[in-house]
Amino acid sequence: MRGSRHRKRARVEKTQNPLRWGVLGAADIAVHKVIPAIKASREGRVDAIASRTEDRAKATAERLGIPKWFGSYQGLLEDPDIEAVYIPLPNHLHKEWTLAAAAAGKHVLCEKPLAMSSDDAREMIAACEAAGVKLMEAFMYRLHPMWLKVRSLVDEGEIGDLVAIQSLFSYYNDDPSDIRNIPEVGGGALYDIGCYPVNVGRMLFGSEPTVVKSSIRRDADFGTDTLTSAVLDFAGRHMTFTCSTRMADHQWVGVQGTTGRLVVEIPFNIPPDRATRILQYGNGEPSEKIHEIPPTDQYGVQADAFARAVRDDTPVPTPVVDAVGNFVVIERIFADGAG
């Protein structure tokens, strides 16, 4: 996912024992979104950052006010003061450094998708369980109050029985040097952004698809999927979506029921500095009911929820086994689209 520029975040009073975070890598999402959110959160603080070079780690640390920096990821993992790590590395490095973090006794919040395959995800889960550390896939949108409201509206029958979900998620990027256009490191539309609609369908239906059908267009030079569409059949209910790295920037989710429907205007890259909306329509009604959600930093909510799970030794808010289920569907989409 692409980073954005720094936004001012409201400061809150820190808890007496904030979780001490280290960050493995200086990716845009870490620098522009996650690190500022943790620094502004109640339950955590960022004590260290690592990069492949000490110069880059030092420059990033000084710019963001992080007290310690390391010129290697392993160096950070060996710091006894760091309790948890956030991994924003390219997808092909998620497994390697999650296993290393578990071996070092660090809790892990890892960017999505968790791994490069469902088997790798299972291995990562087993390693963290054996080491007694928490592991969570960073689907931050799920914890935002807007999506909690969507789920409550569906669960309470506000649109009748849930029948279908549609989604579009796209941006334009044809830079051959961008990791999202390199298949060996986990590039492509489905890994990068299609994983979100897959996750939404599984979350709202509360089950796994029984049938998966897809159509995939790949870049002739890069080999990554640039346009992927899929139909996920949940025992007669449908999730349909399109994701693309060669379309204008857009994201949208529609939730259709027997007596009404919901439109989620900004479902995934939810802005932290302005209110967001859910539009609710009744059966055949031309006007909508608007549910306005106050500005909320989804990355801060995610960091605090993870920190509380560590401090209280409770399950993480998004069970990591969900990452395996999501990847199984992604693998089925690729398999059907290859036919």
Side-chain angles (χ1 to χ4, degrees), residues 40-184:
S41 71
R42 171 176 167 76
E43 307 284 346
R45 70 190 198 198
V46 181
D47 278 4
I49 187 168
S51 186
R52 287 171 294 178
T53 67
E54 187 170 356
D55 287 346
R56 186 181 186 193
K58 180 180 179 182
T60 304
E62 291 177 343
R63 186 167 77 252
L64 297 178
I66 300 171
K68 291 188 282 188
W69 58 85
F70 296 87
S72 72
Y73 305 139
Q74 187 61 41
L76 185 149
L77 294 180
E78 292 172 0
D79 185 336
D81 294 329
I82 298 301
E83 299 176 279
V85 294
Y86 166 62
I87 300 179
L89 297 170
N91 298 336
H92 73 300
L93 297 177
H94 289 181
K95 174 185 172 182
E96 175 185 353
W97 289 105
T98 293
L99 297 182
K106 313 299 185 187
H107 304 285
V108 180
L109 175 65
C110 183
E111 269 305 325
K112 84 297 291 178
L114 187 69
M116 293 283 283
S117 71
S118 57
D119 285 342
D120 283 352
R122 291 186 184 96
E123 184 178 346
M124 293 159 69
I125 293 170
C128 288
E129 288 178 347
V133 298
K134 309 287 185 186
L135 172 63
M136 190 171 89
E137 185 178 35
F139 268 119
M140 70 298 176
Y141 84 95
R142 292 174 63 120
L143 306 178
H144 193 282
M146 182 178 70
W147 276 102
L148 300 183
K149 181 65 174 179
V150 170
R151 296 176 72 172
S152 71
L153 291 170
V154 171
D155 292 345
E156 292 165 10
E158 286 290 316
I159 59 170
D161 295 331
L162 179 59
V163 176
I165 306 166
Q166 296 86 34
S167 182
L168 174 66
F169 200 179
S170 62
Y171 60 83
Y172 195 93
N173 182 337
D174 61 358
D175 179 359
S177 66
D178 193 297
I179 61 172
R180 290 168 296 172
N181 291 320
I182 302 174
E184 294 79 13

